[in-house]
């Protein structure tokens, strides 16, 4: 096309003129949208409790009213006419991070965490915060406030099937886990979305920042210059520096190139991105010293002011970790590294009675984990729809995968969910392959943490008194107002003398807009230039990050710095020793093992049924949501007939987890005890249970030969009492026929109707105090 255009001067001039008009109109509209961004920023600052929630909400509880006041608050999401929460379903609490931005990212779009919970029928609550902290508030104060919020939500839903599910986004994730480690009895399942917990893991460049800046002394000085407040705009600037191509070019160019349609989305995002908030200087210092640089949370080195050790192994609720390989702020190693930090092997996880489910995404970015429409409609929807099923999982490590539902099978009771969640048994080795622990790297980070302590002590002794005397509220105000990010929003709004003229011209342009065709060669050249800019800025980023890593390794890997940090060159011991087990916990484990041995021959038909299903699915290594839903339906409909009262989710969860421990400890003995457990049960009920087991086992994919053998073994055990061999043969034959057919599409009610929300919670094992 280009040669032909060059040979035709008239066509060249016409094409160039049309591009020039289009470019001029784009510039006017681009400038006008940026003007609206400035107005929006100023209006947002004037709100008393600014947030970017896309849902109506009402205040339920204010952290300002607590004995130790904080700037957090609990809000109830008011459902619209399309979603009516079921009071029997467990409530969801979405907690947003205070990492420089204002609250609301978890409910920023209809397809978000809040939206997914509402669509699944759950009552939903939101924990947000005010822009300014309460003077003197601490991280521990925030933990106590979050515990009070969870307790309040549970009180508001006495009929709910289980304890509240709490979603912790990004930095809120470690806050939620710290709270659950101290008050485990309050929490139902916990979902961590893009939450960093092991800060030395991975390869992301942000982890080098503390060491390259000499440690946390700069954090202390920033708080002093802010008159006791840390400006969250500095955290936002750190995020922006990670991706210079997007910050310096792509975000602006995308608005310019798609100015006719991109304005609303751009303004919506900028309302969140420009909503800078503040942290108390002491809060930020605690976070940087103990988490970002010290990395103490993942090895149980932190304690509360009253001596309770913050040990994540104390948590008794299932923990769901959702992370993405496209996240350059919290990559999977940082989200999952705490597992390999705390646990030596799979038996260690089970010994601490913990259930951990992790799921990874291939490409979504950090913010997309919370607000992407595709993720909201897929992963978060499945987590919300199946949270009660996740709560039933026995102790251990699992991996969740969400896939398209097979076209010829019904995946849910209502048939409107296009996705199917599969959960398979995982292990420490699979997590370790993702995290890739590096002992040499950990020693370098340990040296950086020690140097940080030294530099912070020097600053506090030599410079801090002078800095605090020089800082005043007025000086802090001007330092904050002159921050580069704030100036970027402040300088261009209706306060600018040229703004009225631009707004007027933009209205005329919109009435007479003439967009050019996509095949315009000048437009194609513009796009090629943009791609080149992205390419070179990405190359700059890669070289810069490589330089950061090499510099950090050279400094903190040197024998001199290692010696100053207290480590000699021949010393190859771990930089952070395993937290180990207290004598109290070891005694607890020994007592549990004795109870397990005693429980093998105890129970009845309910225990026999659960053992049978565990044995079958252990052969498969995975199950999907259909098996869990159908098993719960069986428990609801047959529990009373098999000798029990109407089941509650908490009691059923305790039953499943207990039997899973028995099967893991001695599967052969637990299975051999099944005939004795069924001895007093009427023959017709045993036969019905056997048929149900056969039907449930063949739901989903066809059984393999080992799975069929396990199923027939179980059926034989069920039918072995009282001359029931013919029924066993008949049931096994029916099983072989069903195994070759697709799963029946019989509707199964997913949500049971419980009596109350109060279940038999598991007590925290002894030894959780320092």
């Amino acid at each position: 096309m280009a040669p032909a255009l060059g040979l035709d001067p008239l066509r060249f001039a016409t094409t160039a003129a049309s591009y020039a008009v289009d470019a001029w109109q784009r510039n006017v509209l681009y400038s006008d949208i940026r003007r609206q961004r400035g107005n929006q920023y100023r209006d947002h600052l004037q709100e008393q409790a600014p947030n970017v929630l896309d849902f109506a909400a009402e205040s339920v509880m204010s952290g300002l009213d607590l004995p130790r006041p904080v700037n957090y608050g609990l809000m109830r999401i008011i459902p619209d006419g399309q979603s009516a929460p079921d009071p029997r379903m467990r409530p969801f609490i979405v907690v947003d991070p205070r990492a420089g931005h204002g609250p609301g990212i978890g409910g920023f779009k209809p397809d978000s965490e809040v939206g997914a919970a509402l669509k699944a029928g759950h009552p939903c609550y939101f924990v947000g915060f005010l822009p300014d902290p309460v003077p003197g508030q601490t991280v521990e104060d925030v933990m106590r406030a979050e515990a009070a919020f969870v307790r309040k939500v549970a009180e508001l839903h006495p009929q709910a099937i289980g304890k509240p599910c709490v979603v912790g986004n990004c930095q809120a994730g470690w806050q939620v886990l710290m709270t659950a480690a101290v008050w485990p009895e309050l929490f139902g399942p916990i979902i961590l979305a893009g939450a960093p917990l092991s800060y030395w893991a991975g390869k992301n460049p942000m982890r080098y920042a503390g060491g390259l800046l000499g440690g946390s002394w700069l954090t202390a000085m920033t708080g002093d210059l802010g008159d006791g407040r840390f400006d969250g705009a500095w955290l936002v600037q750190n995020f922006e520096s990670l991706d210079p191509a997007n910050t310096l070019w792509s975000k602006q160019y995308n608005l310019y190139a798609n100015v006719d349609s991109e304005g609303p989305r751009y303004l919506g995002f900028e309302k969140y991105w420009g909503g800078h908030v503040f942290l108390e200087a002491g809060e930020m210092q605690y976070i940087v010293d103990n988490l970002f640089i010290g990395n103490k949370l993942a090895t149980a080195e932190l304690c509360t002011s009253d001596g309770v050790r913050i040990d994540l192994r104390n948590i008794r609720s299932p923990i769901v970790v959702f992370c993405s390989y496209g996240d350059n702020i919290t990559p999977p190693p940082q989200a999952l590294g705490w597992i390999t930090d705390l646990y030596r092997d799979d038996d260690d996880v089970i010994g601490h009675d913990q259930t951990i489910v992790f799921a990874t995404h291939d490409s979504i970015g950090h913010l997309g984990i919370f607000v992407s429409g595709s993720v909201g409609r897929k992963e978060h929807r499945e987590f919300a729809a199946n949270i009660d099923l996740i709560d039933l999982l026995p102790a251990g490590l699992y991996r969740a995968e969400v896939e398209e539902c097979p076209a010829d099978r019904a995946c849910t009771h209502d048939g409107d969910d296009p996705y199917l969640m599969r959960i398979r048994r995982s292990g420490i080795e699979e997590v370790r392959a993702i995290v890739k622990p590096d002992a040499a790297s950990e020693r370098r980070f340990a040296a950086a943490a020690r140097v940080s302590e030294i530099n912070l002590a020097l600053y506090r002794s030599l410079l801090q008194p002078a800095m605090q005397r020089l800082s005043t509220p007025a000086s802090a105000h001007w330092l904050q107002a002159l921050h580069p990010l704030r100036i970027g929003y402040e300088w261009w709004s209706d306060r600018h003398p040229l703004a009225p003229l631009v707004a007027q011209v933009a209205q005329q342009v919109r009435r007479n807009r003439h967009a050019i065709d996509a095949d315009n060669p000048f437009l194609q050249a513009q796009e090629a230039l943009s791609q080149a800019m992205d390419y070179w800025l990405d190359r700059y980023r890669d070289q810069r990050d490589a330089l950061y890593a090499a510099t950090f390794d050279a400094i903190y890997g040197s024998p001199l710095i290692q010696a100053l940090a207290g480590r000699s060159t021949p010393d190859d011991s771990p930089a952070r020793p395993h937290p180990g087990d207290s004598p109290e916990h070891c005694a607890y484990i020994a007592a549990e093992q004795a109870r397990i041995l005693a429980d093998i021959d105890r129970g009845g038909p309910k225990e026999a049924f659960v053992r049978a299903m565990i044995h079958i699915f252990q052969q498969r290594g995975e199950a999907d949501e259909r098996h869990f839903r159908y098993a719960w339906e069986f428990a609801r409909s047959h529990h009373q007939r098999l000798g029990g009262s109407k089941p509650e989710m908490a009691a059923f969860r305790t039953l499943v987890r207990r039997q899973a421990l028995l099967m893991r400890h001695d599967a052969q003995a637990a299975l051999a005890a099944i005939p004795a457990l069924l001895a007093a049960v009427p023959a017709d009920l045993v036969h019905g249970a056997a048929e149900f087991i056969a039907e449930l086992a063949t739901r989903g994919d066809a059984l393999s030969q080992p799975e069929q053998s396990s199923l027939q073994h179980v059926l034989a055990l069920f039918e072995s009492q009282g001359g029931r061999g013919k029924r066993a043969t008949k049931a096994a034959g029916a099983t072989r026929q069903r195994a070759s057919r697709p799963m029946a599409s019989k509707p199964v009610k997913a949500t049971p109707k419980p009596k109350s929300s109060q279940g038999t919670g598991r007590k925290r094992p002894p030894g959780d105090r320092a």
Side-chain angles (χ1 to χ4, degrees):
M1 181 183 292
L5 186 63
L7 295 175
D8 188 345
L10 180 59
R11 185 181 172 202
F12 178 88
T14 302
T15 304
S18 62
Y19 174 77
V21 171
D22 178 75
W24 176 78
Q25 290 182 334
R26 288 177 186 272
N27 273 292
V28 171
L29 297 178
Y30 172 85
S31 300
D32 188 58
I33 293 174
R34 297 274 290 186
R35 175 190 64 82
Q36 296 174 47
R37 183 187 82 146
N39 294 338
Q40 174 182 268
Y41 170 79
R42 302 190 66 85
D43 293 341
H44 193 56
L45 292 181
Q46 300 304 314
E47 298 176 13
Q48 183 177 1
N51 65 74
V52 293
L53 280 174
D54 191 54
F55 300 86
E58 61 181 2
S59 177
V60 174
M61 187 176 181
S62 173
L64 298 174
D65 299 328
L66 296 173
R68 292 284 299 176
V70 295
N71 65 329
Y72 281 74
L74 174 68
M75 295 182 287
R76 184 180 75 89
I77 301 297
I78 302 174
D80 55 25
Q82 298 178 349
S83 55
D86 186 341
R88 300 170 302 173
M89 298 186 71
R90 74 171 74 237
F92 267 58
I93 306 173
V94 177
V95 186
D96 258 6
R98 193 156 55 106
H101 305 99
I105 193 67
F108 185 58
K109 294 181 178 180
D111 288 321
S112 60
E113 295 160 330
V114 171
L118 290 175
K119 288 180 180 178
H122 296 274
C124 194
Y125 293 80
F126 183 81
V127 174
F129 43 85
L130 300 174
D132 296 302
V134 175
Q137 78 177 42
T138 65
V139 169
E140 186 177 332
D141 293 335
V142 175
M143 291 166 53
R144 294 184 182 277
E146 290 181 345
F149 295 156
V150 177
R151 192 179 292 110
K152 179 67 174 179
V153 170
E155 292 173 357
L156 293 174
H157 295 272
Q159 296 180 340
I161 194 172
K163 298 175 183 178
C165 173
V166 183
V167 181
N169 291 324
C170 188
Q171 300 293 344
W174 56 257
Q175 272 190 347
V176 167
L177 281 197
M178 289 173 69
T179 307
V182 179
W183 295 279
E185 69 279 358
L186 299 178
F187 287 76
I190 298 169
I191 300 176
L192 306 178
L197 291 165
S198 187
Y199 296 85
W200 296 357
K203 298 295 182 182
N204 61 318
M206 187 177 286
R207 69 185 188 135
Y208 301 114
L212 295 176
L213 293 172
S216 68
W217 71 273
L218 191 58
T219 302
M221 187 177 74
T222 304
D224 291 335
L225 293 176
D227 194 36
R229 296 193 310 173
F230 186 92
D231 189 355
W234 292 110
L235 298 176
V236 179
Q237 189 170 22
N238 288 340
F239 298 150
E240 291 202 336
S241 67
L242 291 175
D243 191 357
N246 181 70
T247 300
L248 300 177
W249 180 260
S250 299
K251 185 165 64 172
Q252 281 67 239
Y253 175 77
N254 188 51
L255 173 62
Y256 171 78
N258 303 282
V259 72
D260 298 303
S261 59
E262 185 66 9
R265 192 208 65 84
Y266 176 84
L267 291 173
F269 176 79
E270 288 297 298
K271 183 177 182 180
Y272 168 74
W273 197 250
H276 308 130
V277 299
F278 297 89
L279 292 89
E280 180 70 9
E283 279 185 291
M284 193 66 217
Q285 196 67 42
Y286 179 97
I287 294 169
V288 173
D289 286 338
N290 294 300
L291 302 179
F292 294 171
I293 295 179
N295 199 22
K296 296 178 181 179
L297 176 60
T299 46
E301 298 176 61
L302 300 178
C303 294
T304 64
S305 59
D306 53 354
V308 176
R309 185 175 299 281
I310 303 175
D311 189 342
L312 302 184
R313 296 174 298 179
N314 286 338
I315 299 172
R316 290 294 166 264
S317 307
I319 302 172
V320 180
V321 182
F322 180 41
C323 51
S324 172
Y325 287 100
D327 184 352
N328 62 349
I329 294 176
T330 307
Q334 284 199 348
L336 298 171
W338 63 280
I339 301 173
T340 55
D341 288 342
L342 282 176
Y343 300 108
R344 300 182 184 91
D345 50 37
D346 297 334
D347 290 335
D348 208 4
V349 178
I350 295 172
H352 284 81
D353 196 27
Q354 278 212 315
T355 301
I356 303 172
V357 181
F358 68 95
T360 59
H361 195 281
D362 292 334
S363 59
I364 199 71
H366 185 68
L367 291 178
I369 291 176
F370 322 125
V371 300
S372 169
S374 60
V375 172
R377 289 188 296 269
K378 191 177 180 183
E379 279 82 1
H380 286 305
R381 175 172 179 168
E382 292 304 301
F383 292 149
N386 297 293
I387 198 64
D388 293 333
L389 312 180
I390 292 173
D391 199 21
L392 292 176
L393 290 174
L397 271 168
Y398 301 87
R399 186 160 192 167
E401 297 171 343
V402 180
E403 60 188 34
E404 298 286 341
C405 181
D408 60 338
R409 298 179 183 176
C411 290
T412 60
H413 66 292
D414 52 15
D416 67 346
D417 189 351
Y419 302 109
L420 179 70
M421 186 176 72
R422 294 185 183 275
I423 299 177
R424 64 173 174 82
R425 174 76 72 171
S426 181
I428 285 289
E429 291 306 317
E430 183 174 6
V431 175
R432 188 171 284 118
I434 296 174
V435 177
K436 296 181 175 63
D438 185 344
S441 176
E442 291 236 333
R443 286 192 286 270
R444 291 191 287 269
F445 278 97
R450 181 59 182 148
V451 169
S452 175
E453 293 175 357
I454 295 171
N455 288 341
L456 179 61
L458 289 172
Y459 169 76
R460 285 175 169 168
S461 300
L462 304 177
L463 293 178
Q464 190 174 55
M467 290 294 178
Q468 290 178 340
R469 282 194 294 269
L470 288 173
S471 180
T472 66
S475 66
H477 168 77
W478 283 108
L479 283 175
Q480 293 155 7
L482 294 175
H483 191 283
L485 292 187
R486 286 193 172 85
I487 291 177
Y489 287 89
E490 291 273 8
W491 80 274
W492 179 235
S493 67
D494 279 347
R495 291 190 174 189
H496 196 284
L498 294 179
L501 176 61
V502 171
Q504 182 179 1
V505 174
Q507 290 181 358
Q508 297 175 359
V509 168
R510 289 189 179 95
R511 287 195 297 265
N512 301 280
R513 178 78 172 103
H514 298 289
I516 57 176
D517 295 333
D519 60 353
N520 185 293
F522 293 97
L523 185 61
Q524 293 175 350
Q526 169 193 301
E527 186 64 28
L529 174 62
S530 176
Q531 293 174 2
M533 289 292 295
D534 280 339
Y535 175 83
W536 288 112
L537 286 171
D538 284 344
R539 299 290 76 73
Y540 157 74
R541 176 203 61 201
D542 295 341
Q543 295 298 320
R544 179 203 64 185
D545 293 348
L547 178 62
Y548 284 172
T551 303
F552 181 93
D553 291 347
I555 293 174
Y556 293 103
S558 67
L560 176 61
I561 297 297
Q562 287 281 314
L564 291 175
R567 180 178 292 274
S568 60
T569 302
D571 186 3
D572 58 354
S573 61
R576 295 182 300 156
H578 188 275
D581 296 319
S582 65
E584 294 85 356
H585 184 77
C586 292
Y588 168 79
I589 293 297
E592 280 293 289
Q593 290 179 345
R595 287 179 57 192
I596 288 173
L597 291 173
D599 284 351
I600 286 180
D601 296 320
R602 294 176 181 171
K606 302 184 299 297
E607 288 76 10
F609 167 76
V610 173
R611 292 182 193 183
M613 296 314 305
I614 291 173
H615 178 59
I616 295 169
F617 286 113
Q618 276 180 341
Q619 297 294 327
R620 176 172 296 188
E622 71 171 24
D624 61 49
E625 60 189 78
R626 295 167 294 184
H627 301 110
F628 290 106
R629 292 184 186 279
Y630 204 50
W632 172 246
E633 177 66 14
F634 169 82
R636 290 199 325 114
S637 59
H638 292 77
H639 197 73
Q640 288 176 290
R641 297 183 65 198
L642 292 178
S645 58
K646 189 174 181 179
E648 295 179 358
M649 180 64 76
F652 189 56
R653 178 176 186 263
T654 301
L655 171 66
V656 171
R657 293 172 70 85
R658 191 66 184 170
Q659 298 308 309
L661 279 176
L662 292 175
M663 290 292 293
R664 184 175 180 87
H665 183 78
D666 193 341
Q668 188 172 3
L671 290 173
I674 286 180
L677 300 181
L678 298 173
V681 181
D684 61 328
L685 292 184
V686 174
H687 179 61
E691 287 190 332
F692 176 81
I693 290 172
E695 181 178 354
L696 176 58
T698 54
R699 283 184 166 247
D701 299 331
L703 297 180
S704 65
Q705 185 59 47
E707 292 166 352
Q708 290 189 28
S709 299
S710 298
L711 175 57
Q712 293 173 24
H713 177 213
V714 165
L715 294 177
L717 290 172
F718 264 69
E719 299 284 357
S720 63
Q721 298 298 309
R724 301 167 186 167
K726 293 182 180 180
R727 291 172 181 167
T729 303
K730 180 179 178 181
T735 298
R736 284 190 291 270
Q737 294 178 4
R738 282 192 292 267
S740 62
R741 300 199 308 261
M743 185 198 74
S745 58
K746 175 183 176 181
V748 178
K749 186 176 181 181
T751 306
K753 183 177 180 180
K755 285 186 175 180
S756 69
S757 64
Q758 302 303 319
T760 56
R762 181 155 183 133
K763 294 182 179 179
R764 185 197 313 174
D768 60 347
R769 287 185 174 266

